[in-house]
Coordinates of all heavy atoms in Angstrom, one line a residue:
G1 N 0.8 -1.2 0.0 CA 0.0 0.0 0.0 C 0.8 1.3 0.0 O 0.2 2.4 0.0
Q2 N 2.1 1.2 0.0 CA 3.0 2.4 0.0 C 3.5 2.6 -1.4 O 4.2 1.7 -1.9 CB 4.1 2.2 1.0 CG 5.0 3.5 1.1 CD 6.1 3.3 2.1 OE1 6.5 2.2 2.5 NE2 6.7 4.5 2.5
D3 N 3.2 3.7 -2.0 CA 3.7 4.0 -3.4 C 5.1 4.6 -3.3 O 5.4 5.5 -2.4 CB 2.8 5.0 -4.1 CG 1.4 4.3 -4.3 OD1 1.4 3.1 -4.6 OD2 0.4 5.1 -4.3
Y4 N 6.0 4.2 -4.1 CA 7.4 4.7 -4.1 C 8.0 4.7 -5.5 O 7.5 4.0 -6.4 CB 8.2 3.9 -3.2 CG 8.5 2.5 -3.6 CD1 9.6 2.1 -4.4 CD2 7.6 1.5 -3.3 CE1 9.8 0.8 -4.8 CE2 7.8 0.2 -3.7 CZ 8.9 -0.1 -4.5 OH 9.1 -1.4 -4.9
Y5 N 9.0 5.5 -5.7 CA 9.7 5.5 -7.0 C 11.0 4.7 -6.8 O 11.7 4.8 -5.8 CB 10.2 7.0 -7.3 CG 9.1 7.9 -7.8 CD1 8.5 8.8 -6.9 CD2 8.6 7.8 -9.1 CE1 7.5 9.6 -7.3 CE2 7.6 8.7 -9.5 CZ 7.0 9.5 -8.6 OH 6.0 10.4 -9.0
R6 N 11.2 3.8 -7.7 CA 12.4 3.0 -7.8 C 13.4 3.7 -8.8 O 13.1 3.7 -10.0 CB 12.1 1.6 -8.3 CG 13.4 0.7 -8.4 CD 14.0 0.3 -7.1 NE 15.0 -0.7 -7.3 CZ 15.7 -1.2 -6.3 NH1 15.4 -0.9 -5.0 NH2 16.7 -2.1 -6.5
V7 N 14.4 4.3 -8.3 CA 15.4 5.1 -9.1 C 16.7 4.3 -9.2 O 17.3 4.0 -8.2 CB 15.6 6.5 -8.5 CG1 16.6 7.3 -9.3 CG2 14.3 7.2 -8.3
E8 N 17.1 4.0 -10.4 CA 18.3 3.3 -10.6 C 19.2 4.0 -11.6 O 18.8 4.6 -12.6 CB 18.0 1.9 -11.2 CG 17.1 1.0 -10.3 CD 16.9 -0.4 -10.9 OE1 17.3 -0.6 -12.0 OE2 16.2 -1.2 -10.2
F9 N 20.5 4.1 -11.3 CA 21.5 4.7 -12.1 C 22.9 4.1 -11.9 O 23.1 3.3 -11.0 CB 21.5 6.2 -11.9 CG 21.9 6.6 -10.5 CD1 23.2 6.8 -10.1 CD2 20.9 6.8 -9.5 CE1 23.6 7.2 -8.8 CE2 21.2 7.2 -8.2 CZ 22.6 7.4 -7.9
T10 N 23.8 4.4 -12.8 CA 25.2 3.9 -12.6 C 26.1 5.1 -12.6 O 25.8 6.2 -13.1 CB 25.6 3.0 -13.8 OG1 25.4 3.8 -15.0 CG2 24.7 1.8 -13.9
A11 N 27.2 4.9 -11.9 CA 28.3 5.9 -11.8 C 29.6 5.2 -11.7 O 29.8 4.3 -10.8 CB 28.1 6.9 -10.6
L12 N 30.5 5.5 -12.6 CA 31.8 4.9 -12.7 C 31.7 3.3 -12.8 O 32.4 2.6 -12.1 CB 32.7 5.2 -11.5 CG 33.2 6.7 -11.4 CD1 34.1 6.9 -10.2 CD2 34.0 7.0 -12.7
G13 N 30.6 2.9 -13.5 CA 30.4 1.5 -13.7 C 29.8 0.8 -12.5 O 29.5 -0.4 -12.6
E14 N 29.4 1.5 -11.4 CA 28.8 0.9 -10.2 C 27.3 1.2 -10.2 O 26.9 2.3 -10.5 CB 29.4 1.5 -9.0 CG 30.9 1.1 -8.8 CD 31.1 -0.4 -8.3 OE1 30.1 -1.1 -8.1 OE2 32.2 -0.8 -8.3
P15 N 26.5 0.2 -9.9 CA 25.0 0.4 -9.9 C 24.5 1.0 -8.6 O 25.0 0.7 -7.5 CB 24.5 -1.0 -10.1 CG 25.5 -1.9 -9.4 CD 26.8 -1.2 -9.7
Y16 N 23.6 1.9 -8.6 CA 22.9 2.5 -7.5 C 21.4 2.4 -7.6 O 20.9 2.5 -8.8 CB 23.3 4.0 -7.3 CG 24.7 4.3 -7.0 CD1 25.7 4.2 -7.9 CD2 25.0 4.7 -5.7 CE1 27.0 4.4 -7.5 CE2 26.3 5.0 -5.3 CZ 27.3 4.9 -6.3 OH 28.6 5.1 -5.9
A17 N 20.7 2.1 -6.5 CA 19.3 2.0 -6.6 C 18.7 2.5 -5.3 O 19.1 2.2 -4.2 CB 18.9 0.5 -6.8
Y18 N 17.6 3.3 -5.5 CA 17.0 3.9 -4.3 C 15.5 3.8 -4.4 O 14.9 3.9 -5.5 CB 17.3 5.4 -4.2 CG 18.7 5.7 -3.8 CD1 19.7 5.9 -4.8 CD2 19.0 5.9 -2.5 CE1 21.0 6.2 -4.4 CE2 20.3 6.2 -2.1 CZ 21.3 6.3 -3.0 OH 22.6 6.6 -2.7
D19 N 14.8 3.4 -3.3 CA 13.4 3.4 -3.2 C 13.0 4.7 -2.5 O 13.4 4.8 -1.3 CB 12.8 2.2 -2.5 CG 13.1 0.9 -3.3 OD1 13.4 1.0 -4.5 OD2 13.0 -0.2 -2.7
I20 N 12.2 5.5 -3.1 CA 11.8 6.8 -2.5 C 10.3 7.0 -2.4 O 9.6 6.8 -3.4 CB 12.4 8.0 -3.4 CG1 14.0 7.8 -3.5 CG2 12.0 9.3 -2.9 CD1 14.6 8.7 -4.4
D21 N 9.9 7.3 -1.2 CA 8.4 7.5 -1.0 C 7.9 8.5 -2.0 O 8.4 9.6 -2.1 CB 8.2 8.0 0.4 CG 6.7 8.0 0.8 OD1 6.0 8.8 0.3 OD2 6.3 7.2 1.7
A22 N 6.8 8.1 -2.7 CA 6.3 9.0 -3.7 C 5.6 10.2 -3.2 O 5.4 11.2 -4.0 CB 5.3 8.1 -4.6
L23 N 5.1 10.2 -2.0 CA 4.4 11.4 -1.4 C 5.4 12.3 -0.7 O 5.2 13.5 -0.8 CB 3.3 10.9 -0.5 CG 2.1 10.2 -1.1 CD1 1.2 9.6 0.0 CD2 1.4 11.1 -2.0
T24 N 6.3 11.7 0.1 CA 7.2 12.6 1.0 C 8.6 12.8 0.4 O 9.2 13.7 0.9 CB 7.3 11.9 2.4 OG1 8.0 10.7 2.2 CG2 5.9 11.7 3.0
G25 N 9.0 11.9 -0.5 CA 10.4 12.0 -0.9 C 11.4 11.4 0.0 O 12.6 11.5 -0.3
V26 N 11.0 10.8 1.1 CA 11.9 10.1 2.0 C 12.4 8.8 1.4 O 11.7 8.1 0.8 CB 11.2 9.8 3.3 CG1 12.0 9.0 4.2 CG2 10.8 11.1 4.0
I27 N 13.7 8.6 1.6 CA 14.3 7.3 1.1 C 13.9 6.2 1.9 O 14.1 6.2 3.2 CB 15.8 7.5 1.0 CG1 16.2 8.5 0.0 CG2 16.5 6.1 0.7 CD1 17.7 8.8 -0.1
I28 N 13.2 5.2 1.3 CA 12.8 4.0 2.0 C 13.9 3.0 2.1 O 14.1 2.3 3.1 CB 11.5 3.4 1.3 CG1 10.4 4.5 1.2 CG2 11.0 2.2 2.1 CD1 9.3 4.0 0.3
D29 N 14.6 2.8 1.0 CA 15.6 1.8 1.0 C 16.7 2.2 0.0 O 16.4 3.0 -0.9 CB 15.0 0.4 0.6 CG 15.9 -0.8 1.0 OD1 17.0 -0.5 1.6 OD2 15.5 -1.9 0.8
A30 N 17.9 1.6 0.1 CA 18.9 2.0 -0.8 C 19.9 0.8 -1.0 O 20.1 0.0 -0.1 CB 19.7 3.2 -0.3
D31 N 20.3 0.6 -2.2 CA 21.3 -0.4 -2.6 C 22.5 0.3 -3.3 O 22.3 0.6 -4.5 CB 20.6 -1.5 -3.4 CG 21.6 -2.6 -3.7 OD1 22.7 -2.7 -3.1 OD2 21.2 -3.5 -4.5
V32 N 23.5 0.5 -2.6 CA 24.7 1.3 -3.1 C 26.0 0.5 -2.9 O 26.0 -0.4 -2.1 CB 24.8 2.6 -2.5 CG1 23.5 3.5 -2.7 CG2 25.1 2.5 -1.0
P33 N 27.0 0.8 -3.7 CA 28.3 0.1 -3.6 C 28.9 0.3 -2.2 O 28.8 1.5 -1.7 CB 29.2 0.7 -4.7 CG 28.2 1.2 -5.7 CD 27.0 1.7 -4.9
A34 N 29.4 -0.7 -1.6 CA 30.0 -0.5 -0.3 C 31.2 0.4 -0.3 O 32.1 0.3 -1.3 CB 30.5 -1.9 0.3
G35 N 31.3 1.4 0.6 CA 32.4 2.3 0.7 C 32.4 3.4 -0.3 O 33.4 4.1 -0.5
S36 N 31.4 3.5 -1.1 CA 31.3 4.6 -2.1 C 31.3 6.0 -1.5 O 30.6 6.2 -0.5 CB 30.1 4.4 -3.0 OG 28.9 4.5 -2.3
T37 N 32.1 6.9 -2.0 CA 32.1 8.3 -1.5 C 32.1 9.3 -2.6 O 32.3 8.9 -3.8 CB 33.4 8.5 -0.7 OG1 34.5 8.4 -1.6 CG2 33.6 7.5 0.4
R38 N 31.9 10.5 -2.3 CA 31.9 11.6 -3.3 C 33.3 11.7 -3.9 O 33.4 11.9 -5.1 CB 31.6 12.9 -2.6 CG 30.1 13.0 -2.3 CD 29.8 14.4 -1.7 NE 28.4 14.5 -1.4 CZ 27.9 15.6 -0.9 NH1 28.6 16.6 -0.6 NH2 26.6 15.7 -0.6
A39 N 34.3 11.4 -3.2 CA 35.7 11.5 -3.7 C 35.9 10.5 -4.8 O 36.5 10.7 -5.8 CB 36.7 11.3 -2.6
D40 N 35.3 9.2 -4.6 CA 35.4 8.2 -5.6 C 34.8 8.7 -6.9 O 35.2 8.4 -8.0 CB 34.7 6.9 -5.1 CG 35.4 6.4 -3.9 OD1 36.6 6.6 -3.7 OD2 34.7 5.7 -3.1
L41 N 33.6 9.4 -6.8 CA 32.9 9.7 -8.0 C 33.4 11.0 -8.7 O 33.3 11.2 -9.9 CB 31.4 10.0 -7.6 CG 30.7 8.7 -7.1 CD1 29.4 9.0 -6.4 CD2 30.5 7.7 -8.2
D42 N 34.1 11.8 -7.9 CA 34.6 13.1 -8.5 C 35.9 12.7 -9.3 O 36.3 13.5 -10.2 CB 35.0 14.1 -7.4 CG 33.8 14.7 -6.8 OD1 32.7 14.6 -7.4 OD2 33.9 15.2 -5.6
G43 N 36.5 11.6 -9.0 CA 37.7 11.2 -9.8 C 38.9 12.1 -9.4 O 39.8 12.3 -10.2
A44 N 38.9 12.7 -8.2 CA 40.0 13.6 -7.8 C 40.4 13.2 -6.4 O 39.7 12.5 -5.7 CB 39.6 15.0 -8.0
G45 N 41.5 13.8 -6.0 CA 42.0 13.5 -4.6 C 41.1 14.1 -3.6 O 41.0 13.6 -2.5

């Protein structure tokens, strides 16, 4: 009975997936690469 958006994308070859409440925008669940950080994605020190 809970409506949500399933958002999937890739970054640097790694898959990311988020379940987001369709009414509130709150993240219900997430499946992300272990240890991923902004530094990894920026490709800089």
